[in-house]
Amino acid sequence: MNTKFLLGAAIIAAAASGFAAPEITIKSTPELPGKNLISTSDFSKGVLGSWSVNTPANRKFASIDKTEGVGDKMSMKLAGDVASSPNLYHRLRPAVPFKAGEPYYIRYYAKRVGSNPKYRSGGSLAFTMNNGKYRYAQVPEHNAGDSDWAEYDYNGIIPADSKYGTLYMCYYKQTGCTLYDNVEFRHGWAELDISVKGKGLQAIVVRNSVTGTVLKEKINGSEYNKTIKVPAFGSNSVEVLDRTGEVTGKLYPENVDSNVAASDKVIPLTPVKRVIVPPKTTESFTVAMPAMAGKKAYLCFTARLNKKSGIAGYTNALKVKVNGKVLSMNNVVKPGKVIVLKGTPNKKANIANGSSNFIVFYSNVSAPIPQHNRYCPTSVENGNPFDFKLDVTKQLEEGLNTVDFQSGVFLKETKLYLENLHIVIE
C-alpha cells in the first residue's frame, strides 16, 4: 500500500486537484527481513528453548519470568549472584557460513532490577572461524543500574569468515536480575528492487531504519527503476517526490520499524521509525497541514546522539527549522526550557543556546536516565530528556510546509538519531 507523505527542501506550490500519486513497487532478494537466527526470541511459550546456560551449576540463575515482558507476560530472566558469573548463550547457525565484511544487527529489550549500579550488565558476541579460533564483535551495552524496559540495538560488521557464532547474555558478580525479550540477530545483504511510475517524478529518498539514508537522488520523467544493496534487516522507506510537491511513501517490509500511525490528529513526516542524521548534515521533510483555526500543532520526536554505551552528558546538537524559521526555547514544551542535572544541582542549562541549537544527550538508548546517574535530569519528568514536543502552531501554514533537522555535531562518528517524527494536532 502506498501512503501519502510529504518531503522536500523548500515549499513547493500546491498540486492541481486530481493529480495521481506515483505507484511504488518494491521487491527484494532475498525476501526481507532476513532470518532471525535467534530461534527462541519472545519466550511466549514459557521456555528457554534454544538458549543454554554456561555451566550446570549456574542453571539455577536462568529461568522464564512469567510476570512481565514486552507485549506479554513472558521474558527470559538471568539472576545475579555476587559469587557467580552466569550467562545464557545462543548458537548462531546461518544457512550459509558468515562472511567477513557482512553487516549484522542485534536488537532486544531488557530490564534490570535490584542490580549494583557500579557495574554494567551486557553480553558478548563471538564468531568461530574455520580454523577453530574465535573473533569477537560488538554487542549492545546496558547502562549501569536499574532500568525499566528499553530497546537496545547495535549494527556492526562480521570480523571474519565463520562457521557459526555465539551470542552471550552475561550477568557476572551481580545482584538482582536482568530480563530479556524479543531478541533478534540478523545479518547479510539484500538486493532491493525499486520501481516507480507516475507523472512528473522529481526525487527519491530511501532510508533504512537501522543504517540511515541509503539513496538520495534527483530523478525525472514518468518511470524510475533501480536496484540497490541494503542490509537484510530493518525496513526501508521509499519516498518519491512528484511535481505537485507531494511525496508518496512506502515502507518495506510493511509494519517493520514503522513510524507512529497516521490519523486525523497525527501526521507522520516519514513512514519509517528512525531517521539518522550524520554530523553537519540536514534531513528535510515536507508536511501537508489542514486548516487549524483554534487548534495547536506540536512537532514531536525522540532525539539522542548515538553512543556505544552509557550516558555521557549532552551538547547543543540539533537545529530545527519550520518553513525556514529557526525554532528556539520559546517553542519547547518538552523536555523543558531548562535542564538541571542531578550531579550538578546548581547548574542550569537552557535547552537551546544563543544559536537555537537544542541540547541532545549522548546515549545508547532513548529511555529514562536512572536516578543514581549524575546525568539524570531532575528537571524532566521521569528523568527522560529524549522526548521532544515543540509548539509549531505559529510556524506552520495550511498546505505544504517544510521541516528541517540539522545536526551540529562535529565528531565524525557521532550520529543524531531521530525517531517517530510526527506532528500532533490538539
Side-chain angles (χ1 to χ4, degrees):
M1 179 178 67
N2 292 336
T3 306
K4 275 288 189 180
F5 290 85
L6 298 174
L7 169 73
I11 299 178
I12 308 172
S17 61
F19 192 87
E23 288 295 324
I24 302 173
T25 302
I26 310 171
K27 298 179 181 179
S28 69
T29 306
E31 186 176 351
L32 293 177
K35 182 180 179 180
N36 182 9
L37 297 186
I38 305 297
S39 304
T40 306
S41 174
D42 64 6
F43 311 102
S44 59
K45 294 182 179 180
V47 296
L48 292 175
S50 53
W51 291 86
S52 301
V53 184
N54 59 334
T55 67
N58 285 332
R59 286 175 183 165
K60 61 185 177 181
F61 300 113
S63 63
I64 294 295
D65 188 291
K66 298 182 179 180
T67 63
E68 61 177 310
V70 177
D72 58 27
K73 292 186 177 181
M74 294 284 187
S75 57
M76 182 172 73
K77 180 178 180 180
L78 187 57
D81 182 85
V82 294
S84 304
S85 298
N87 73 53
L88 281 157
Y89 68 88
H90 192 291
R91 298 295 187 206
L92 308 172
R93 301 186 185 278
V96 177
F98 293 114
K99 295 293 183 182
E102 284 184 330
Y104 70 86
Y105 183 55
I106 303 172
R107 172 165 54 188
Y108 55 79
Y109 286 83
K111 178 178 180 177
R112 195 172 173 184
V113 181
S115 63
N116 186 334
K118 292 183 179 181
Y119 306 103
R120 290 190 175 97
S121 63
S124 180
L125 174 62
F127 290 96
T128 302
M129 298 183 291
N130 297 332
N131 61 8
K133 295 183 178 180
Y134 301 97
R135 288 288 298 275
Y136 286 87
Q138 180 65 41
V139 299
E141 293 189 19
H142 295 187
N143 297 335
D146 289 358
S147 62
D148 204 347
W149 285 108
E151 182 184 75
Y152 294 85
D153 71 337
Y154 185 86
N155 68 283
I157 300 298
I158 293 173
D161 292 350
S162 308
K163 295 184 295 184
Y164 61 87
T166 307
L167 177 64
Y168 300 88
M169 298 299 194
C170 307
Y171 203 52
Y172 295 165
K173 310 296 183 182
Q174 258 289 1
T175 58
C177 68
T178 298
L179 305 179
Y180 299 93
D181 207 355
N182 295 349
V183 187
E184 297 179 49
F185 183 98
R186 305 179 196 271
H187 76 287
W189 295 103
E191 298 290 331
L192 195 69
D193 297 319
I194 302 169
S195 176
V196 184
K197 295 182 179 180
K199 295 182 180 180
L201 304 179
Q202 301 291 315
I204 185 170
V205 176
V206 181
R207 311 175 199 273
N208 181 269
S209 63
V210 176
T211 60
T213 300
V214 294
L215 176 69
K216 182 182 290 187
E217 64 182 29
K218 294 181 180 179
I219 58 178
N220 58 67
S222 59
E223 189 169 347
Y224 175 87
N225 296 281
K226 192 160 191 173
T227 299
I228 61 175
K229 190 176 182 180
V230 297
F233 42 76
S235 62
N236 299 277
S237 172
V238 177
E239 304 165 19
V240 179
L241 173 71
D242 63 37
R243 70 187 184 194
T244 69
E246 296 190 31
V247 163
T248 302
K250 188 171 185 178
L251 190 66
Y252 178 86
E254 292 185 6
N255 303 319
V256 174
D257 294 349
S258 56
N259 199 347
V260 297
S263 69
D264 58 344
K265 295 182 179 180
V266 177
I267 305 173
L269 271 61
T270 172
V272 73
K273 177 181 179 180
R274 179 182 290 173
V275 173
I276 298 176
V277 189
K280 305 305 293 181
T281 62
T282 300
E283 290 291 331
S284 300
F285 304 85
T286 305
V287 59
M289 295 298 299
M292 294 192 304
K295 297 181 179 180
K296 303 278 286 184
Y298 299 95
L299 177 61
C300 301
F301 56 92
T302 297
R304 66 182 171 91
L305 292 168
N306 189 46
K307 186 177 180 294
K308 178 181 174 182
S309 64
I311 306 293
Y314 58 80
T315 189
N316 296 91
L318 172 63
K319 180 170 289 186
V320 183
K321 296 181 181 179
V322 176
N323 293 330
K325 302 170 185 175
V326 178
L327 303 186
S328 67
M329 281 182 59
N330 296 330
N331 299 95
V332 176
V333 178
K334 291 183 179 180
K337 293 180 171 59
V338 176
I339 298 293
V340 179
L341 302 185
K342 183 175 183 179
T344 54
N346 296 319
K347 179 183 177 182
K348 297 181 179 181
N350 292 334
I351 190 65
N353 62 14
S355 300
S356 294
N357 289 304
F358 293 115
I359 282 174
V360 181
F361 278 70
Y362 291 92
S363 179
N364 60 333
V365 64
S366 297
I369 299 176
Q371 288 286 327
H372 73 270
N373 192 300
R374 67 191 182 98
Y375 292 118
C376 176
T378 57
S379 57
V380 181
E381 183 181 2
N382 298 325
N384 186 347
F386 305 101
D387 291 339
F388 280 76
K389 183 177 183 180
L390 308 179
D391 187 341
V392 291
T393 307
K394 295 181 179 179
Q395 286 75 25
L396 289 174
E397 305 169 352
E398 182 179 354
L400 300 181
N401 300 259
T402 60
V403 183
D404 299 329
F405 297 88
Q406 178 182 334
S407 172
V409 178
F410 289 91
L411 297 176
K412 184 178 179 181
E413 299 301 322
T414 303
K415 296 180 180 180
L416 177 63
Y417 278 28
L418 304 175
E419 294 187 348
N420 296 324
L421 296 167
H422 65 285
I423 290 175
V424 175
I425 300 174
E426 298 180 356

